Amino acid sequence: MLDLYQAGTSPVHMLKPGWKILCLAAVGSALFAVDHIGFSTAMLAATLVLYRIAGLPLSRAWGQIRPAVWVFGLIFAAQVIFNSWIIGLYVLIRLAVLLMLAGLLTLTTRSSDMIDGINAGLGPLRRIGVNPERVSLAISLTLRFIPVLSHVVHDVREAQRARGLDRNILSLAIPAIIRTIRMADEVSDAIDARGS
Amino acid sequence: MIDVQNVSLTLGGRSVLRDISLTLSERRIAIVGSNGSGKSSFARLLNGLHLPTDGQVLVDGLNSRSDGRKIRQSVGFVFQNPDNQIVFPIVEEDVAYGLKNHGLSPAEREAKVQNILQRYDLIGLRHQPSHTLSGGQKQLLAISGVLVMEPRYIVFDEPTTLLDLRNKLKVQQAIASLSQTAIVVTHDLDLVSDFDRVIVFDEGRVVADDHPDTALRRYIEAMQDA
Amino acid sequence: MTTKDTVYIALFAALTAALGLIPQITLATGVPITAQSMGIMLAGALLGAKRGGLAIVLFLALVAIGLPLLAGGRGGAGVFFGASGGFLLGFPIGAFVIGFLFDRHAGRPPFLLSLIYVLIGGVGVVYLLGVPWLAQVADLTLGQAFTGSIAFVPGDIIKAVLTVIIAREVRRALPDL
């Protein structure tokens, strides 16, 4: 499946997805509650240690931040202008810890385990009308539809290029959307036909 | 035995089928007719996907109006476009889907899935994403997903229309080897030449119902006259 | 909730993901826009409040568990903690609001009204959550955070117009969606 998982057998990998999510939420809240740069820096160090325990190179931790580097730059610049560079540094460290920890969750947990975790977690919500089987059906269907729709989107763009850019993309997109909705109708019939 | 009694069907204000009565008990039954003749709607009546506007459909005595769930378990349905029938992203997940609500143990489920995948030469693809299969493999996967539930009847809605010749032959072979009753809606007259019975639909009515030779000859004549 | 509702929810979650694959276009102002937020607007306008909102919740759930479905191939729980986390949380609520406004009409609302609805949910609600979040995470004032975000608004307006045109045509073809 198309996920970001890095296989491994470390304690971080083995921890149940539910616990990992809980830890992430706890650290995230603590970072904002304990409003101190010393704490944030300690958490940063702890996070990097966790990456090593998970057997991941520190470049992986950096990889979590890299896509957001320009946002980091903007935030830092704004803080330097409006407050001070030390506050800017503090804000960046806090943000970096959050991104790296969340990234660690993603890197060490298989999507399918996470989906199972979600389904198990939804069990108690049955009482308020959430049907875990429906949810897992919807998740599977989405994963099933993504390649189909990526294909549709690709075809529409290609057709537009082939006919010249003056051609209105809407005249291609609208029929494509209508077709996919009709497809969904038949998929729905097929699910009913298989007695769900 | 599927018993269709005085069935009429109106969809979206349009009369699609008019007063059809048929008893389907042969092992291989073909439903042919031109586009818009009502044959696909007829197929959908047989497992309760459509409910008749008038009259009733009985499958082994069960009424599609009141026993829809049971009927869908005994009448499997294979759609024209396998892409629209494959519900799950991974091949084996899709085959296992229908079994989920059957109260089987994981081991029993696994055995059934494996058995079917072997039968249709899909076992090597069981962990593959289903969208990467070829058209013919997809249709065989769709058939597997239906067969694994061991229905007594299987309705096919134009199963070969979207396939090339090689894949068409594979599907034809798959249908021929079924132990169940097969009801096949099709334009493909080669596919049904050795069937037990051919029913011809036109404008929502049955216009011929006979052995393949006779029925198909009348169908071709009628099309040429029109 | 029927099987068809479940399938539609999955379809629009997948559509939102697929729209994220379109390479972003850079406006004359130098601000990148992606097609992804059109998925949010379309889900609300075509599926209504409940199904539209759930479609986007489902999309974000898949992002959260680590599928790289956000525009630019991003995914994982981290994106929710980043500077744009509030905008992401605003997505399902925005879709819900758009759907809620459309649901109040029996048929298709007029063009201009539809556009206003899409702008309220798809831009208004999303920024209402996104800007304060950005301010909190980046330790900025609301005014500063808003100034930093306003460059994206022209792109959002273009997407809202496209959404309304598409949604009206699709609803005409499939009135009982």
Side-chain angles (χ1 to χ4, degrees), chain A residues 1 133 136-137 139-145 147-148 182-184 186-196, chain B residues 44 47 49 69 72 75 77 79-81 83-89 94-95 97-98 101 130-131 145 149:
Chain A
M1 207 154 58
E133 285 88 42
S136 67
L137 175 63
I139 290 174
S140 298
L141 280 171
T142 309
L143 299 178
R144 159 87 184 85
F145 284 151
V148 177
R182 294 230 166 93
M183 170 199 81
E186 201 169 308
V187 169
S188 160
D189 274 351
I191 294 170
D192 281 340
R194 285 161 83 179
S196 76
Chain B
R44 282 167 166 72
N47 82 333
L49 277 176
R69 232 191 128 81
R72 281 196 280 278
V75 185
F77 199 103
F79 291 77
Q80 174 179 11
N81 187 347
D83 268 324
N84 298 354
Q85 170 151 24
I86 297 169
V87 176
F88 282 80
D94 190 73
V95 177
Y97 171 63
N101 306 317
S130 45
H131 71 95
M149 291 157 71

Side-chain angles (χ1 to χ4, degrees), chain C residues 20-31:
Chain C
L21 296 176
I22 298 179
Q24 56 193 28
I25 303 163
T26 306
L27 291 184
T29 54
V31 173

Side-chain angles (χ1 to χ4, degrees), chain C:
Chain C
M1 190 94 87
T2 64
T3 305
K4 194 165 273 188
D5 292 331
T6 309
V7 177
Y8 283 163
I9 287 168
L11 184 72
F12 277 78
L15 178 67
T16 306
L19 285 172
L21 296 176
I22 298 179
Q24 56 193 28
I25 303 163
T26 306
L27 291 184
T29 54
V31 173
I33 62 168
T34 77
Q36 192 147 54
S37 49
M38 267 181 76
I40 283 90
M41 298 176 183
L42 281 169
L46 287 171
L47 295 187
K50 189 176 172 193
R51 295 181 301 175
L54 286 175
I56 306 307
V57 169
L58 177 56
F59 166 72
L60 290 181
L62 293 176
V63 169
I65 65 172
L67 303 186
L69 302 177
L70 282 183
R74 291 174 306 134
V79 296
F80 293 93
F81 295 96
S84 53
F87 291 96
L88 295 180
L89 288 186
F91 282 174
I93 301 171
F96 180 89
V97 169
I98 294 172
F100 176 79
L101 294 170
F102 272 82
D103 285 346
R104 301 183 337 158
H105 294 261
R108 297 185 300 163
F111 187 92
L112 206 60
L113 199 56
S114 303
L115 183 60
I116 292 170
Y117 289 169
V118 172
L119 287 173
I120 290 175
V123 185
V125 171
V126 171
Y127 280 71
L128 203 62
L129 273 94
V131 170
W133 182 289
L134 175 63
Q136 173 67 32
V137 170
D139 250 344
L140 298 168
T141 66
L142 279 179
Q144 290 158 359
F146 183 72
T147 316
S149 314
I150 203 152
F152 292 92
V153 173
D156 287 333
I157 293 174
I158 295 173
K159 284 181 270 185
V161 172
L162 290 176
T163 298
V164 172
I165 297 170
I166 293 173
R168 286 174 64 78
E169 286 299 312
V170 171
R171 281 222 173 178
R172 199 162 59 102
L174 306 165
D176 41 328
L177 193 63

Side-chain angles (χ1 to χ4, degrees), chain A residues 166-185:
Chain A
D166 54 314
R167 178 87 190 189
N168 183 355
I169 193 162
L170 288 176
S171 64
L172 299 164
I174 291 166
I177 292 178
I178 293 171
R179 263 202 315 277
T180 57
I181 293 173
R182 294 230 166 93
M183 170 199 81
D185 288 342

